[in-house]
Amino acid sequence: MKRRSMIHVLLLCALLLFSLGSAATYAQPQEEKPRERQIENAMLQQLYPVIRSSLQEIYSEAYPSFGCERIISINERVTMAEDSQHASPVDAMHGATYFEITVGLCKGSGEKIELRLKNDTPTAQYYVDVFHVR
């Protein structure tokens, strides 16, 4: 009887360890693909002037320092179309597509900042629509 209960205890421990091991693999973030990271870095490089000037205004600093920038989300939006007017193919007015990009940043002081950038203007230039300091 002791041998049988010992086997049950060992099987139970093995099942418990196996289930904990598989749960840990689900909890870890998926590996990022190098190509996706390159595209993200290229986009952040293009958005750098807007990010820098926005942080200058938010913090009243001539040379804002920040790091750990990541693109949190990209959303494609469509403007409302007016029936009486035709949209110009180069702007985001009256039925055109534009993007909202949320960028997360870290300041040296430990603050985390989220900037929501939009390009729904006639020139399609990005600007900061909303920011949050956490």
Side-chain angles (χ1 to χ4, degrees):
M1 191 65 144
K2 288 183 184 181
R3 185 171 177 91
R4 188 174 183 186
S5 61
M6 182 70 134
I7 291 174
H8 285 356
V9 169
L10 287 175
L11 284 174
L12 183 61
C13 288
L15 276 172
L16 184 62
L17 287 174
F18 178 74
S19 66
L20 287 176
S22 64
T25 58
Y26 287 118
Q28 295 176 359
Q30 294 178 348
E31 282 191 35
E32 193 172 1
K33 297 177 183 171
R35 180 85 172 141
E36 289 174 0
R37 185 65 181 154
Q38 286 177 332
I39 292 170
E40 180 179 11
N41 287 338
M43 289 182 70
L44 286 168
Q45 185 179 39
Q46 292 298 309
L47 295 172
Y48 177 79
V50 177
I51 293 169
R52 195 175 127 256
S53 66
S54 299
L55 291 177
Q56 284 174 331
E57 289 179 29
I58 293 167
Y59 288 100
S60 301
E61 297 175 342
Y63 302 103
S65 62
F66 59 93
C68 72
E69 54 270 8
R70 294 298 305 255
I71 293 178
I72 298 171
S73 68
I74 300 175
N75 296 307
E76 186 175 3
R77 306 279 190 219
V78 176
T79 60
M80 295 291 290
E82 289 187 26
D83 295 331
S84 62
Q85 296 180 352
H86 297 290
S88 172
V90 295
D91 65 18
M93 299 175 73
H94 312 304
T97 300
Y98 69 95
F99 293 92
E100 291 180 351
I101 301 174
T102 304
V103 177
L105 309 163
C106 302
K107 289 284 288 173
S109 61
E111 292 178 321
K112 295 185 187 238
I113 306 153
E114 287 183 9
L115 304 171
R116 186 173 70 194
L117 309 167
K118 291 171 77 174
N119 72 335
D120 62 350
T121 63
T123 60
Q125 295 294 317
Y126 281 94
Y127 66 94
V128 173
D129 178 43
V130 176
F131 71 92
H132 299 284
V133 180
R134 302 189 194 287

